[in-house]
Amino acid sequence: MGKMDLSKYKALPTIGFQPFGDVVINFREHPRWKIPRKIAVILAPTGAFVTRDQNPNQPYTVDEIIRESIEGVEAGACSVHVHVRDEKGFPSGDRGQTEKVVNALRHRFGGSIHIDGEALFGKNFIETMEPIVEDFYESAAVNCHADFMGDTLSYLSPQSCKATAEVLQAYGKKPLLAVYNPGDIDNTYRWLIRPGVVKPPFAWIVLPGMPGGSPMYDPLGMAETLLHMIRRIKDVDKAKRPSITVAACGRASSYLTTLAILLGCNVRVGKEDTIYKYPHRDDVTRSNKQIVEQTVTIARMLGREPMTGPEYRKTLGMKPF
Protein backbone atom coordinates (compact mmCIF):
# COMPACT_ATOMS: atom_id res chain seq x y z
CA MET A 1 0.00 0.00 0.00
CA GLY A 2 1.44 3.39 -0.99
CA LYS A 3 2.10 6.34 1.29
CA MET A 4 -0.25 9.33 1.39
CA ASP A 5 0.64 12.99 1.68
CA LEU A 6 -1.29 14.24 4.74
CA SER A 7 -0.12 17.87 4.44
CA LYS A 8 -3.50 18.99 3.03
CA TYR A 9 -5.13 18.06 6.38
CA LYS A 10 -2.66 20.12 8.43
CA ALA A 11 -5.10 22.95 9.17
CA LEU A 12 -8.01 20.72 10.22
CA PRO A 13 -9.11 21.15 13.86
CA THR A 14 -8.62 18.28 16.27
CA ILE A 15 -11.29 16.86 18.58
CA GLY A 16 -12.91 19.28 20.96
CA PHE A 17 -12.46 17.94 24.49
CA GLN A 18 -13.10 20.21 27.46
CA PRO A 19 -13.82 18.58 30.84
CA PHE A 20 -15.91 20.74 33.18
CA GLY A 21 -15.07 18.79 36.34
CA ASP A 22 -12.67 16.30 37.86
CA VAL A 23 -14.31 13.31 36.14
CA VAL A 24 -14.72 12.90 32.38
CA ILE A 25 -17.60 10.37 32.56
CA ASN A 26 -19.22 9.07 35.75
CA PHE A 27 -20.71 5.65 34.98
CA ARG A 28 -22.25 5.54 38.47
CA GLU A 29 -24.89 7.96 37.22
CA HIS A 30 -26.65 5.10 35.44
CA PRO A 31 -29.22 3.50 37.77
CA ARG A 32 -29.36 -0.26 38.13
CA TRP A 33 -31.81 -2.05 35.88
CA LYS A 34 -34.78 -3.54 37.67
CA ILE A 35 -34.15 -7.18 36.85
CA PRO A 36 -34.65 -9.78 39.61
CA ARG A 37 -31.44 -11.53 40.61
CA LYS A 38 -33.22 -14.86 41.14
CA ILE A 39 -34.77 -16.82 38.28
CA ALA A 40 -37.03 -19.86 38.35
CA VAL A 41 -35.91 -22.57 35.94
CA ILE A 42 -38.86 -24.92 35.39
CA LEU A 43 -38.28 -28.28 33.71
CA ALA A 44 -40.89 -29.77 31.34
CA PRO A 45 -39.22 -33.11 30.57
CA THR A 46 -41.56 -34.74 28.04
CA GLY A 47 -44.96 -33.11 27.53
CA ALA A 48 -47.64 -34.40 25.20
CA PHE A 49 -46.46 -33.50 21.69
CA VAL A 50 -42.99 -34.65 20.72
CA THR A 51 -42.61 -38.18 19.36
CA ARG A 52 -39.44 -40.24 19.03
CA ASP A 53 -39.83 -39.86 15.29
CA GLN A 54 -39.13 -36.14 15.82
CA ASN A 55 -36.54 -36.63 18.58
CA PRO A 56 -35.23 -40.17 19.26
CA ASN A 57 -34.18 -38.99 22.74
CA GLN A 58 -37.72 -38.24 23.95
CA PRO A 59 -38.54 -39.91 27.31
CA TYR A 60 -41.68 -42.06 27.17
CA THR A 61 -41.69 -44.51 30.08
CA VAL A 62 -42.21 -43.65 33.73
CA ASP A 63 -38.63 -44.66 34.54
CA GLU A 64 -37.25 -42.46 31.76
CA ILE A 65 -39.33 -39.48 32.87
CA ILE A 66 -38.29 -39.96 36.50
CA ARG A 67 -34.61 -40.28 35.63
CA GLU A 68 -34.53 -37.21 33.40
CA SER A 69 -36.59 -35.18 35.89
CA ILE A 70 -34.20 -35.99 38.74
CA GLU A 71 -31.19 -35.14 36.60
CA GLY A 72 -32.80 -31.84 35.61
CA VAL A 73 -33.53 -30.88 39.22
CA GLU A 74 -29.99 -31.75 40.25
CA ALA A 75 -28.77 -29.52 37.40
CA GLY A 76 -30.69 -26.52 38.77
CA ALA A 77 -34.43 -26.74 38.03
CA CYS A 78 -36.67 -25.70 40.94
CA SER A 79 -39.90 -27.12 39.52
CA VAL A 80 -40.96 -30.05 37.33
CA HIS A 81 -43.95 -29.92 34.98
CA VAL A 82 -45.24 -33.50 34.95
CA HIS A 83 -46.73 -35.37 31.99
CA VAL A 84 -46.86 -39.12 31.39
CA ARG A 85 -47.20 -41.19 28.20
CA ASP A 86 -48.70 -44.53 27.27
CA GLU A 87 -46.63 -47.40 25.85
CA LYS A 88 -46.79 -45.88 22.36
CA GLY A 89 -45.74 -42.45 23.59
CA PHE A 90 -49.21 -40.92 23.32
CA PRO A 91 -50.12 -38.39 26.05
CA SER A 92 -51.84 -40.13 28.94
CA GLY A 93 -53.83 -39.19 32.01
CA ASP A 94 -52.99 -42.46 33.74
CA ARG A 95 -53.18 -41.68 37.45
CA GLY A 96 -51.00 -44.62 38.49
CA GLN A 97 -48.14 -43.52 36.25
CA THR A 98 -48.53 -39.92 37.33
CA GLU A 99 -48.42 -40.94 40.99
CA LYS A 100 -45.22 -42.93 40.41
CA VAL A 101 -43.48 -39.90 38.91
CA VAL A 102 -44.68 -37.54 41.63
CA ASN A 103 -43.83 -39.96 44.46
CA ALA A 104 -40.34 -40.56 43.07
CA LEU A 105 -39.65 -36.81 42.94
CA ARG A 106 -41.07 -36.24 46.42
CA HIS A 107 -39.07 -39.17 47.83
CA ARG A 108 -35.89 -37.76 46.33
CA PHE A 109 -36.36 -34.04 46.94
CA GLY A 110 -39.23 -33.59 49.41
CA GLY A 111 -40.48 -30.01 49.48
CA SER A 112 -37.27 -28.60 48.06
CA ILE A 113 -38.84 -28.72 44.59
CA HIS A 114 -42.16 -27.51 43.26
CA ILE A 115 -44.29 -29.93 41.20
CA ASP A 116 -46.60 -28.70 38.48
CA GLY A 117 -48.79 -30.63 36.05
CA GLU A 118 -51.77 -30.63 33.73
CA ALA A 119 -55.38 -31.09 34.79
CA LEU A 120 -56.66 -31.82 31.30
CA PHE A 121 -57.17 -35.56 30.88
CA GLY A 122 -60.42 -37.33 31.73
CA LYS A 123 -63.81 -38.36 30.39
CA ASN A 124 -65.44 -35.43 32.15
CA PHE A 125 -64.46 -32.33 34.11
CA ILE A 126 -64.48 -34.09 37.49
CA GLU A 127 -62.01 -36.69 36.22
CA THR A 128 -59.72 -33.99 34.84
CA MET A 129 -59.51 -32.48 38.31
CA GLU A 130 -58.37 -35.74 39.97
CA PRO A 131 -54.65 -34.80 40.02
CA ILE A 132 -55.59 -31.64 41.89
CA VAL A 133 -58.01 -33.28 44.32
CA GLU A 134 -55.54 -36.13 44.94
CA ASP A 135 -52.78 -33.60 45.67
CA PHE A 136 -50.36 -34.64 42.92
CA TYR A 137 -49.58 -31.10 41.79
CA GLU A 138 -49.05 -27.73 43.44
CA SER A 139 -50.11 -25.78 40.36
CA ALA A 140 -51.66 -26.33 36.95
CA ALA A 141 -52.25 -24.32 33.82
CA VAL A 142 -55.53 -22.69 32.91
CA ASN A 143 -55.57 -22.38 29.12
CA CYS A 144 -58.03 -19.66 28.07
CA HIS A 145 -57.57 -20.40 24.40
CA ALA A 146 -58.83 -21.92 21.18
CA ASP A 147 -55.80 -22.53 18.98
CA PHE A 148 -54.72 -24.81 16.20
CA MET A 149 -51.56 -26.25 17.71
CA GLY A 150 -50.02 -27.61 14.56
CA ASP A 151 -52.96 -29.38 12.90
CA THR A 152 -54.84 -30.10 16.13
CA LEU A 153 -57.50 -27.81 17.56
CA SER A 154 -57.02 -27.27 21.30
CA TYR A 155 -59.57 -25.30 23.26
CA LEU A 156 -61.26 -24.82 26.62
CA SER A 157 -64.61 -23.14 27.07
CA PRO A 158 -64.90 -20.02 29.24
CA GLN A 159 -66.94 -22.06 31.73
CA SER A 160 -64.28 -24.79 31.97
CA CYS A 161 -61.50 -22.22 32.44
CA LYS A 162 -63.42 -20.55 35.25
CA ALA A 163 -64.21 -23.89 36.92
CA THR A 164 -60.58 -25.05 36.67
CA ALA A 165 -59.34 -21.87 38.34
CA GLU A 166 -61.98 -22.20 41.08
CA VAL A 167 -61.06 -25.82 41.84
CA LEU A 168 -57.33 -25.09 41.88
CA GLN A 169 -57.72 -22.25 44.35
CA ALA A 170 -60.18 -24.17 46.52
CA TYR A 171 -57.53 -26.88 46.98
CA GLY A 172 -54.75 -24.38 47.66
CA LYS A 173 -53.13 -24.78 44.23
CA LYS A 174 -51.84 -22.01 41.98
CA PRO A 175 -53.52 -21.39 38.61
CA LEU A 176 -50.89 -20.71 35.95
CA LEU A 177 -52.36 -18.43 33.31
CA ALA A 178 -51.14 -20.04 30.08
CA VAL A 179 -51.15 -17.88 26.94
CA TYR A 180 -50.04 -18.88 23.44
CA ASN A 181 -50.88 -15.68 21.58
CA PRO A 182 -52.11 -12.16 22.45
CA GLY A 183 -55.76 -13.16 22.11
CA ASP A 184 -55.33 -15.62 24.99
CA ILE A 185 -54.25 -12.72 27.20
CA ASP A 186 -57.50 -10.93 26.47
CA ASN A 187 -59.49 -14.11 27.12
CA THR A 188 -57.72 -14.60 30.44
CA TYR A 189 -58.48 -11.02 31.43
CA ARG A 190 -62.16 -11.20 30.40
CA TRP A 191 -62.89 -14.66 31.80
CA LEU A 192 -60.76 -14.81 34.94
CA ILE A 193 -59.11 -11.55 36.00
CA ARG A 194 -61.77 -8.89 35.47
CA PRO A 195 -64.54 -10.99 37.12
CA GLY A 196 -62.23 -11.73 40.06
CA VAL A 197 -62.19 -15.51 39.54
CA VAL A 198 -58.41 -15.72 40.01
CA LYS A 199 -56.81 -13.98 42.95
CA PRO A 200 -53.55 -12.03 42.74
CA PRO A 201 -50.65 -12.34 42.60
CA PHE A 202 -51.14 -13.82 39.14
CA ALA A 203 -48.68 -16.26 37.57
CA TRP A 204 -48.37 -16.26 33.78
CA ILE A 205 -46.74 -18.75 31.46
CA VAL A 206 -46.12 -17.56 27.92
CA LEU A 207 -45.89 -20.26 25.24
CA PRO A 208 -45.34 -18.48 21.92
CA GLY A 209 -43.48 -19.96 18.97
CA MET A 210 -45.42 -23.24 18.86
CA PRO A 211 -46.54 -24.33 15.37
CA GLY A 212 -49.85 -22.51 15.01
CA GLY A 213 -49.01 -20.13 17.84
CA SER A 214 -47.41 -16.68 17.73
CA PRO A 215 -45.00 -16.73 14.74
CA MET A 216 -41.27 -16.52 15.40
CA TYR A 217 -39.60 -16.99 12.04
CA ASP A 218 -36.38 -15.10 12.87
CA PRO A 219 -34.68 -13.30 15.79
CA LEU A 220 -36.45 -10.01 15.09
CA GLY A 221 -39.87 -11.70 15.00
CA MET A 222 -39.00 -13.54 18.23
CA ALA A 223 -38.09 -10.32 20.03
CA GLU A 224 -41.07 -8.34 18.72
CA THR A 225 -43.54 -11.11 19.56
CA LEU A 226 -42.29 -11.72 23.09
CA LEU A 227 -42.09 -8.02 23.91
CA HIS A 228 -45.62 -7.52 22.58
CA MET A 229 -46.99 -10.33 24.74
CA ILE A 230 -45.19 -9.15 27.87
CA ARG A 231 -46.50 -5.62 27.35
CA ARG A 232 -50.06 -6.90 26.89
CA ILE A 233 -49.76 -8.92 30.10
CA LYS A 234 -48.65 -5.78 31.91
CA ASP A 235 -51.74 -4.02 30.55
CA VAL A 236 -53.99 -6.37 32.53
CA ASP A 237 -51.73 -7.36 35.45
CA LYS A 238 -51.05 -4.31 37.57
CA ALA A 239 -48.47 -5.94 39.83
CA LYS A 240 -45.25 -3.97 40.13
CA ARG A 241 -43.38 -6.94 38.69
CA PRO A 242 -45.75 -9.56 37.22
CA SER A 243 -44.64 -13.19 37.49
CA ILE A 244 -44.04 -14.26 33.88
CA THR A 245 -42.50 -17.56 32.81
CA VAL A 246 -41.47 -17.98 29.16
CA ALA A 247 -41.38 -21.47 27.68
CA ALA A 248 -38.65 -22.28 25.15
CA CYS A 249 -41.11 -23.16 22.39
CA GLY A 250 -40.50 -24.35 18.86
CA ARG A 251 -37.61 -23.19 16.69
CA ALA A 252 -36.88 -20.24 18.96
CA SER A 253 -35.74 -22.72 21.67
CA SER A 254 -32.60 -21.59 23.52
CA TYR A 255 -32.64 -18.13 21.93
CA LEU A 256 -36.10 -17.46 23.36
CA THR A 257 -34.88 -18.64 26.75
CA THR A 258 -31.94 -16.24 26.59
CA LEU A 259 -34.17 -13.29 25.68
CA ALA A 260 -36.52 -14.17 28.55
CA ILE A 261 -33.59 -14.21 30.97
CA LEU A 262 -32.48 -10.79 29.69
CA LEU A 263 -36.00 -9.43 30.18
CA GLY A 264 -36.14 -10.58 33.82
CA CYS A 265 -38.62 -13.42 33.29
CA ASN A 266 -38.57 -16.97 34.59
CA VAL A 267 -38.08 -19.76 32.06
CA ARG A 268 -39.49 -23.20 31.30
CA VAL A 269 -37.17 -25.50 29.39
CA GLY A 270 -37.05 -29.16 28.42
CA LYS A 271 -38.17 -31.61 25.79
CA GLU A 272 -41.86 -30.75 26.02
CA ASP A 273 -41.80 -27.51 24.05
CA THR A 274 -39.10 -27.98 21.41
CA ILE A 275 -36.87 -30.55 19.75
CA TYR A 276 -34.15 -28.06 18.79
CA LYS A 277 -31.03 -26.97 20.63
CA TYR A 278 -30.65 -23.87 18.44
CA PRO A 279 -33.00 -22.04 16.04
CA HIS A 280 -30.55 -21.93 13.13
CA ARG A 281 -29.50 -25.61 13.22
CA ASP A 282 -31.26 -28.97 13.20
CA ASP A 283 -29.43 -30.47 16.21
CA VAL A 284 -32.03 -32.09 18.46
CA THR A 285 -31.91 -31.93 22.24
CA ARG A 286 -30.33 -34.95 23.92
CA SER A 287 -31.05 -34.84 27.64
CA ASN A 288 -33.06 -32.60 29.91
CA LYS A 289 -30.01 -32.36 32.15
CA GLN A 290 -28.02 -30.73 29.35
CA ILE A 291 -30.83 -28.28 28.62
CA VAL A 292 -31.07 -27.19 32.28
CA GLU A 293 -27.29 -26.96 32.61
CA GLN A 294 -27.13 -24.71 29.54
CA THR A 295 -29.95 -22.53 30.89
CA VAL A 296 -28.35 -22.16 34.32
CA THR A 297 -25.03 -21.29 32.72
CA ILE A 298 -26.61 -18.57 30.57
CA ALA A 299 -28.52 -17.17 33.55
CA ARG A 300 -25.39 -17.02 35.70
CA MET A 301 -23.36 -15.42 32.92
CA LEU A 302 -26.03 -12.71 32.85
CA GLY A 303 -25.91 -12.21 36.61
CA ARG A 304 -28.97 -14.19 37.62
CA GLU A 305 -29.11 -17.13 40.03
CA PRO A 306 -31.52 -20.11 39.97
CA MET A 307 -34.25 -20.17 42.62
CA THR A 308 -34.96 -23.03 44.95
CA GLY A 309 -38.38 -24.63 45.14
CA PRO A 310 -39.33 -22.76 48.33
CA GLU A 311 -38.21 -19.47 46.79
CA TYR A 312 -40.32 -20.16 43.72
CA ARG A 313 -43.41 -20.90 45.83
CA LYS A 314 -42.89 -17.61 47.66
CA THR A 315 -42.79 -15.64 44.39
CA LEU A 316 -46.09 -17.28 43.39
CA GLY A 317 -47.69 -16.24 46.65
CA MET A 318 -48.02 -19.85 47.78
CA LYS A 319 -47.71 -21.24 51.28
CA PRO A 320 -44.60 -23.28 52.19
CA PHE A 321 -44.80 -26.96 51.24
Side-chain angles (χ1 to χ4, degrees), residues 14-315:
T14 59
I15 184 173
F17 194 78
Q18 175 61 59
F20 291 96
D22 297 331
V23 178
V24 176
I25 299 176
N26 182 4
F27 281 95
R28 294 190 181 94
E29 291 178 340
H30 283 168
R32 288 183 184 178
W33 290 8
K34 295 179 180 179
I35 295 175
R37 187 175 72 87
K38 289 296 185 81
I39 179 172
V41 178
I42 293 98
L43 172 62
T46 189
F49 312 119
V50 178
T51 64
R52 285 184 178 157
D53 179 61
Q54 298 173 63
N55 184 355
N57 307 306
Q58 196 71 10
Y60 275 6
T61 69
V62 166
D63 289 342
E64 290 168 344
I65 294 168
I66 290 171
R67 182 183 70 250
E68 293 217 21
S69 297
I70 288 173
E71 290 175 348
V73 172
E74 291 175 342
C78 67
S79 176
V80 177
H81 175 70
V82 174
H83 274 274
V84 294
R85 309 281 193 113
D86 65 19
E87 64 278 1
K88 295 181 180 179
F90 203 75
S92 171
D94 187 282
R95 305 298 182 234
Q97 289 184 323
T98 302
E99 190 171 19
K100 286 179 182 177
V101 175
V102 171
N103 286 347
L105 293 174
R106 284 286 175 235
H107 177 74
R108 182 71 171 246
F109 301 108
S112 66
I113 63 159
H114 172 273
I115 296 181
D116 172 56
E118 296 288 5
L120 294 174
F121 300 103
K123 297 175 183 177
N124 53 56
F125 180 80
I126 294 174
E127 281 193 13
T128 65
M129 292 296 106
E130 285 178 358
I132 305 307
V133 174
E134 295 175 13
D135 205 28
F136 290 166
Y137 308 140
E138 299 177 63
S139 61
V142 184
N143 302 275
C144 296
H145 76 150
D147 299 311
F148 271 100
M149 303 178 73
D151 298 325
T152 301
L153 179 61
S154 175
Y155 64 92
L156 277 178
S157 69
Q159 295 85 354
S160 295
C161 289
K162 177 182 176 181
T164 300
E166 289 174 342
V167 172
L168 285 167
Q169 291 173 119
Y171 281 86
K173 314 302 182 184
K174 189 70 178 182
L176 302 184
L177 308 178
V179 293
Y180 298 81
N181 59 57
D184 298 343
I185 298 169
D186 184 55
N187 290 340
T188 302
Y189 174 66
R190 292 185 300 111
W191 300 350
L192 300 182
I193 294 176
R194 188 171 63 188
V197 176
V198 289
K199 309 302 179 186
F202 308 127
W204 299 83
I205 178 164
V206 179
L207 302 104
M210 301 281 282
S214 300
M216 291 185 171
Y217 301 135
D218 54 37
L220 182 59
M222 176 190 74
E224 288 176 338
T225 297
L226 183 59
L227 286 170
H228 176 71
M229 292 186 73
I230 289 175
R231 286 183 174 130
R232 299 296 73 78
I233 286 173
K234 290 185 176 182
D235 286 342
V236 300
D237 186 338
K238 300 306 180 183
K240 185 176 181 181
R241 186 179 290 157
S243 173
I244 301 174
T245 296
V246 177
C249 291
R251 266 288 177 186
S253 58
S254 55
Y255 278 39
L256 183 56
T257 293
T258 303
L259 179 58
I261 294 170
L262 287 168
L263 294 174
C265 299
N266 298 320
V267 292
R268 188 177 96 175
V269 299
K271 295 182 188 176
E272 169 163 351
D273 301 309
T274 187
I275 65 174
Y276 297 112
K277 292 178 67 176
Y278 316 107
H280 59 304
R281 289 162 49 174
D282 290 334
D283 310 46
V284 296
T285 57
R286 296 189 63 82
S287 74
N288 282 289
K289 176 184 177 182
Q290 291 176 336
I291 300 168
V292 175
E293 286 176 340
Q294 174 181 289
T295 304
V296 169
T297 298
I298 294 170
R300 284 179 168 153
M301 289 178 68
L302 295 172
R304 302 190 66 190
E305 191 67 23
M307 288 183 196
T308 64
E311 288 172 332
Y312 179 50
R313 288 188 193 94
K314 187 174 181 180
T315 67

